[in-house]
Amino acid sequence: MYDTPLILKFDDIDAGMLPLVGGKAANLGVLTTAGLPVPPGLCVTTEAYRRVTEQAGLEKVLDALAVMAAGETRALNELAGRARELVLAAPVPADIADAVRRSAHGPVAVRSSATAEDLPHASFAGQQDTYLNVIGADAVLDAVRRCWASLWSDRAVAYRAANGIDHRAVLAAVVIQEMVQSEVAGVMFTANPVTGRRREAVIDASPGLGEAVVSGAVNPDHFVVDTATGRITERRLGDKRLAVRSLPGGGVEHVETGMAGACVTDAQIRALAELGGRVEDHYGSPQDTEWAVDAGGALWLTQSRPITTLFPIPRHARPAGAGSAVAGEPGGARIYFSFSVAQGIYAPITPMGMSAFRLLSSSAAALLGVPVTDRLDGAPQFAEAAGRMFIDVTGMMRSRVGRVGLPRVLDVMEARSATVLRGLFDDPRFSVTQRSVRPALRRLVKNAIRFRIPARAAQALLKPEKAHRRAERLGVRLRAQLAAPADATALERLDHVERILGTRAVPLLPTVVPGPLAGFAMLGLAYRLLGDRARPGELQTVLRGLPHNVTTEMDLALWHLATRIRADREAASLLLGTPAAELADRFGGGTLPDVVDRGLKEFLAVYGVRAVAEIDLGVPRWSEDPTHVIGVLANYLRLEDPALSPDALFARGAAEAVLMIKSLSARVGGVRGLIVRFALSRARALAGIRELPKFSMVTILAAMRAELVTIGTGLTTRGLLDSPQDIFFLTMEEVRTALTTAPGESAPTAPGDAATPYPATLRALVSKRREDAARERRRRHLPRVLLSDGTEPEAVAIAAPVDGALTGTPASAGSVTGAARVVLDPVGAHLEPGEILVCPSTDPGWTPLFLTAGGLVMEMGGANSHGAVVAREYGIPAVVGVARATEHIVTGQRITLDGTSGMVITA
């Protein structure tokens, strides 16, 4: 009656069987067929679970879960409990029960293996149950039933909700594996999960079964090993006071140990690292493994899954050595600077937005004399990882000029990145190889002459109004050049987009730069002339309330609109009492009060090109979706104190700046005072233009977005896309292929079977990228600087201990300050959002608390214990192994937790 197997041996399982055997069993099957040392076992497939639960009455629970938000913890727990009851109460058909009983040979470990488990993007570590040293057929069957039910544990349901995984789509298989009666066991990461460094094995070990280490119940021995050389680079012994041992009749016990020395030999540590390297090589990605050593000294792998928390290493469009300029630089390690983080863009950039930046980077490279093989690939230094933009700054860091200039630029742009880069100065891999300043000087002089920068800067100093008129003319030129002809074909529009972004956009900007450059040069001159006569912060006062700042002007325009709306009581009441999304819909339908409708149209006509994360061409502009703008308007209407209004603050700042100029010039007096007054006056007159280049670039991006939407509309009409907005989840090359591929043809660049019609594969590609983007938006930690071996230098720089600090093992990078919540038992515990959880240790039952925790402090556990793994997955800073943390810290105490250095500051 049923063709799908109920039982499969590991030897018969391959990676393509995930829907049938779940993640854990699929990985064990892959390891077994690869010849790696895996204890023999089998899998009770998802077919058994499906048949047992199809009559269990789960439909109502599933319907309720489908509409439940991830933060509704209490309701999720109630539904999870109901699901467990239904699964445990469901009768097991005789053929399934008999098949399970026949698989019970000797002591076994019974582990759940869900279809959403041990995946490349979410490990689900410890979310379902494991039963060790199970003896006897009935006991095995009971453990299998409980594994099925554990698919609906509170922690598993909360984890799926947090990761956006459909509860209906998840099924449970169960692994039944020969029990390894280990003398010592533990976990091993084949890449360092804290620093990100690849090919560096991190091993935690403790006597007995590995459950003690995985659960965080023990402070294990901790080792770090260079996989390539076998050199043990770090060794820290834990107290290992507790061990989990098998009982003769089944089950396990916890016993006191107190082993003083290391529980594994150096030879075993190196053998583990070598085995980890083999596992990683087989999968092609870093792995989180569990291992055991039996009484005979044999080494076993009991589990392997991808490390899901590592940030991907940035990749170039063309690998170094494939004709790029990067290949011409000294080989070896590389330094990647996150341009996304520097721009405050934490969300992933759309594929089309990334394509746009590749073209822009090609144009910028051409200005600097850097050869570009293919402008669609971008500059040789342009790289991408996890939908974020990176710049390969290795060449700059190995140049005498770049080493001085880049950190100084970042000092005022992204200071933490500057600190990280300076920390690499002493790394011999990045020693200076380009000592001459002549190449950089030649490029600087060439571009200065080409764009008449010195002459225009001098002109701006003499007559600032000319710089302002030049800025106005730039706007006129932009509007004249950006729109493609109305009768242009789709391919002609795409050519236009590529031409504007790839050759014309960047050269427009140097025409504006001389003005603000001259202004800041004058600020620097005044700083030197004043010396110590200017107290800290006084020169910054001069830059308050700057005129000619397009961003300030935008904010004030919105405030003035709010002021007009406030005078209309009915309109103001509508904005204050109606959700912004609903008001945006009414604006689109033309049903808002006239003062709001007209005012918004006037505002958006000028500033509608802007958006949150506006440097991503794929992000809708305010003119397309004014929800955010309307929300800001409503907030302005709630501002009651006139003294705090934006226009009042701006005017007050401008007045203070003028007074400060008078005061500073008077302090030095004479001719020097006159020069200071002139310099600071010119700084005020010109520095505000600094916002115009970015606004101009955003204007260009908005115009190109409009052209692409038009192309997307045509592709949607042809049935190639589901909506015009889908075009932003394609690249320029893919759009060109779509425009030139006849209906019904297959496209070699599209994923999937070559015989599949192209429209279907294109839509599948868009769907997958939307899912990838949604998952990436949940990533909490982004590196500022990343090395090509995966190391995050900021995570390696350990700060010195300070007074009032408790120290432990860094487990999840990042820093957070907040109120502590000391919890000794998770049952009934409650955390306010952002509170730092302080506890003795954690097992999977604690993890629902992680959803609202701002950070984690544990007295026990190592960097690879369960609490540390889940903290990294949720992106919350964590420090583990902090002795007596629950005694030293009290609930409500404000603490600072640094998961990078391993410090908890309580003073």
Side-chain angles (χ1 to χ4, degrees):
M1 179 178 178
Y2 298 100
D3 294 330
T4 307
L6 296 172
I7 303 287
L8 283 173
K9 292 182 179 180
F10 288 171
D11 310 76
D12 300 323
I13 295 173
D14 60 46
M17 294 182 178
L18 179 68
L20 184 61
V21 300
K24 188 178 282 85
N27 283 331
L28 289 170
V30 168
L31 294 170
T32 299
T33 55
L36 292 161
V38 177
L42 49 83
C43 174
V44 182
T45 69
T46 56
E47 173 66 12
Y49 172 84
R50 187 189 63 76
R51 285 172 54 189
V52 168
T53 58
E54 63 185 0
Q55 302 300 323
L58 285 172
E59 281 304 312
K60 290 184 178 179
V61 174
L62 291 169
D63 288 343
L65 285 171
V67 297
M68 196 68 60
E72 299 180 66
T73 305
R74 181 173 298 177
L76 286 171
N77 290 348
E78 290 175 357
L79 290 168
R82 178 59 182 153
R84 289 195 300 274
E85 293 172 0
L86 292 170
V87 172
L88 287 171
V92 180
D95 59 337
I96 295 176
D98 290 343
V100 172
R101 287 192 177 98
R102 286 195 300 271
S103 69
H105 302 297
V108 294
V110 182
R111 296 185 171 97
S112 61
S113 178
T115 53
E117 183 176 58
D118 296 350
L119 303 178
H121 60 275
S123 73
F124 283 70
Q127 297 305 304
Q128 282 85 43
D129 286 348
T130 290
Y131 298 92
L132 301 176
N133 198 40
V134 182
I135 299 175
D138 289 338
V140 170
L141 178 59
D142 181 64
V144 169
R145 290 169 62 99
R146 294 185 180 279
C147 283
W148 287 335
S150 74
L151 188 67
W152 301 100
S153 67
D154 293 352
R155 58 188 179 262
V157 169
Y159 193 98
R160 290 197 295 271
N163 283 277
I165 294 174
D166 183 2
H167 298 282
R168 292 180 184 276
V170 183
L171 300 174
V174 180
V175 166
I176 301 174
Q177 189 173 22
E178 184 178 302
M179 187 72 191
V180 177
Q181 303 297 353
S182 55
E183 288 297 306
V184 61
V187 297
M188 171 174 57
F189 282 49
T190 67
N192 194 312
V194 176
T195 67
R197 184 173 294 147
R198 300 329 196 246
R199 309 302 286 185
E200 184 173 77
V202 179
I203 300 167
D204 284 352
S206 193
L209 305 181
E211 178 65 18
V213 178
V214 173
S215 66
V218 65
N219 284 323
D221 290 344
H222 178 81
F223 307 94
V224 179
V225 188
D226 184 321
T227 305
T229 64
R231 184 170 66 93
I232 301 172
T233 59
E234 185 178 337
R235 183 193 307 266
R236 187 172 63 250
L237 302 187
D239 53 39
K240 306 179 292 296
R241 293 179 180 176
L242 181 72
V244 179
R245 304 279 189 189
S246 294
L247 291 168
V252 298
E253 63 176 346
H254 293 69
V255 297
E256 296 287 336
T257 59
M259 176 181 288
C263 62
V264 286
T265 66
D266 284 4
Q268 288 174 321
I269 294 168
R270 293 188 181 96
L272 277 168
E274 189 274 334
L275 176 61
R278 289 168 56 198
V279 175
E280 179 174 320
D281 289 342
H282 183 74
Y283 279 102
S285 64
Q287 296 290 300
D288 166 8
T289 67
E290 296 179 21
W291 55 270
V293 178
D294 64 20
L299 178 58
W300 298 94
L301 273 174
T302 57
Q303 189 169 316
S304 183
R305 55 178 169 248
I307 303 177
T308 60
T309 55
L310 293 174
F311 195 87
I313 296 172
R315 57 181 176 81
H316 298 267
R318 292 171 181 266
S324 72
V326 174
E329 297 170 1
R334 311 209 67 79
I335 307 170
Y336 295 101
F337 163 67
S338 176
F339 188 74
S340 284
V341 170
Q343 290 292 312
I345 306 296
Y346 289 84
I349 292 172
T350 59
M352 186 60 74
M354 198 68 75
S355 270
F357 266 97
R358 289 186 182 279
L359 283 166
L360 291 168
S361 73
S362 294
S363 183
L367 285 181
L368 297 173
V370 177
V372 176
T373 304
D374 184 338
R375 67 181 187 179
L376 290 173
D377 287 343
Q381 291 78 17
F382 189 97
E384 176 185 350
R388 278 81 179 187
M389 290 185 291
F390 286 81
I391 300 172
D392 183 344
V393 296
T394 315
M396 283 184 272
M397 287 288 285
R398 304 197 73 171
S399 155
R400 178 182 165 192
V401 174
R403 180 167 287 207
V404 172
L406 179 60
R408 286 187 179 176
V409 169
L410 293 177
D411 280 335
V412 296
M413 177 184 177
E414 218 296 300
R416 284 176 63 184
S417 295
T419 301
V420 174
L421 290 175
R422 288 189 177 100
L424 297 172
F425 282 177
D426 294 330
D427 190 322
R429 295 175 295 175
F430 308 118
S431 59
V432 174
T433 58
Q434 177 57 265
R435 298 189 178 278
S436 174
V437 301
R438 291 178 181 176
L441 189 59
R442 280 196 298 268
R443 287 194 295 268
L444 179 64
V445 170
K446 179 181 177 181
N447 282 302
I449 294 172
R450 174 183 175 184
F451 294 105
R452 302 173 55 205
I453 289 177
R456 285 172 172 168
Q459 187 182 64
L461 287 177
L462 293 173
K463 296 183 178 180
E465 63 275 9
K466 287 198 172 184
H468 302 149
R469 285 198 294 271
R470 185 176 297 112
E472 292 171 3
R473 288 197 297 272
L474 173 63
V476 174
R477 288 175 61 192
L478 280 177
R479 286 187 288 274
Q481 292 184 21
L482 293 182
D487 60 350
T489 66
L491 273 174
E492 288 170 342
R493 289 184 189 278
L494 185 61
D495 289 339
H496 175 75
V497 170
E498 291 185 6
R499 185 166 53 251
I500 292 292
L501 295 175
T503 61
R504 296 187 180 176
V506 172
L508 284 173
L509 304 184
T511 63
V512 184
V513 167
L517 275 181
F520 282 105
M522 289 295 98
L523 190 69
L525 174 63
Y527 174 79
R528 288 184 175 276
L529 292 175
L530 285 164
D532 58 8
R533 293 181 181 87
R535 291 183 286 272
E538 288 187 327
L539 278 177
Q540 292 301 315
T541 301
V542 173
L543 299 181
R544 295 191 60 190
L546 283 176
H548 312 294
N549 184 316
V550 66
T551 302
T552 303
E553 290 168 348
M554 177 190 72
D555 294 337
L556 291 175
L558 197 58
W559 168 254
H560 293 145
L561 173 56
T563 302
R564 297 200 300 274
I565 294 172
R566 190 192 301 274
D568 186 322
R569 183 173 299 178
E570 182 179 342
S573 178
L574 177 67
L575 259 67
L576 287 169
T578 309
E582 182 180 332
L583 291 169
D585 288 340
R586 289 188 58 176
F587 175 66
T591 61
L592 286 178
D594 183 64
V595 64
V596 181
D597 184 76
R598 186 175 65 253
L600 273 175
K601 287 177 179 175
E602 292 171 355
F603 176 84
L604 294 174
V606 180
Y607 302 108
V609 296
R610 309 213 80 156
V612 178
E614 62 191 4
I615 65 170
D616 182 0
L617 175 148
V619 172
R621 309 289 109 175
W622 287 343
S623 57
E624 300 171 67
D625 180 7
T627 303
H628 176 71
V629 172
I630 293 171
V632 174
L633 274 174
N635 285 333
Y636 279 167
L637 291 173
R638 294 184 178 94
L639 190 59
E640 299 288 343
D641 187 351
L644 297 178
S645 66
D647 54 352
L649 292 174
F650 181 83
R652 191 180 309 131
E656 290 172 358
V658 171
L659 289 174
M660 183 57 67
I661 292 174
K662 291 180 180 178
S663 173
L664 291 173
S665 61
R667 288 181 199 174
V668 291
V671 175
R672 179 175 290 198
L674 292 174
I675 295 174
V676 167
R677 180 187 289 256
F678 173 81
L680 294 179
S681 297
R682 286 298 187 261
R684 281 193 57 76
L686 296 170
I689 311 175
R690 66 186 176 187
E691 291 291 314
L692 189 59
K694 183 176 181 181
F695 183 72
S696 301
M697 185 58 66
V698 168
T699 301
I700 293 169
L701 292 175
M704 297 307 98
R705 175 180 169 85
E707 297 293 341
L708 288 165
V709 168
T710 300
I711 298 171
T713 301
L715 292 175
T716 303
T717 301
R718 290 174 53 194
L720 295 174
L721 298 177
D722 291 327
S723 78
Q725 302 296 321
D726 285 351
I727 195 171
F728 298 109
F729 287 88
L730 301 173
T731 64
M732 298 283 184
E733 301 96 314
E734 289 162 348
V735 170
R736 186 170 295 279
T737 300
L739 292 173
T740 56
T741 302
E745 287 186 23
S746 59
T749 57
D753 191 317
T756 304
Y758 181 51
T761 60
L762 197 64
R763 289 194 295 269
L765 178 61
V766 168
S767 177
K768 179 182 181 302
R769 285 179 177 167
R770 283 189 179 276
E771 292 174 3
D772 291 344
R775 183 172 62 252
E776 274 299 327
R777 278 192 288 271
R778 293 193 291 270
R779 189 186 291 274
R780 300 272 294 275
H781 175 70
L782 300 179
R784 283 171 164 74
V785 176
L786 201 64
L787 304 187
S788 53
D789 66 355
T791 302
E792 185 180 345
E794 196 172 21
V796 176
I798 306 298
V802 298
D803 292 340
L806 304 174
T807 59
T809 300
S812 182
S815 179
V816 64
T817 298
R821 172 75 64 174
V822 179
V823 178
L824 303 179
D825 185 344
V827 178
H830 174 70
L831 253 68
E832 292 294 332
E835 287 185 327
I836 297 172
L837 173 62
V838 182
C839 57
S841 65
T842 65
D843 65 9
W846 289 76
T847 53
L849 296 177
F850 286 31
L851 288 173
T852 54
L856 171 69
V857 178
M858 291 200 317
E859 292 181 332
M860 308 296 290
N864 296 336
S865 63
H866 177 266
V869 171
V870 177
R872 287 192 292 268
E873 290 231 357
Y874 284 162
I876 60 174
V879 179
V880 301
V882 182
R884 301 172 65 186
T886 59
E887 299 175 35
H888 290 299
I889 301 171
V890 297
T891 294
Q893 182 179 0
R894 195 162 184 82
I895 65 174
T896 296
L897 157 65
D898 190 334
T900 301
S901 68
M903 287 196 304
V904 181
I905 301 172
T906 60

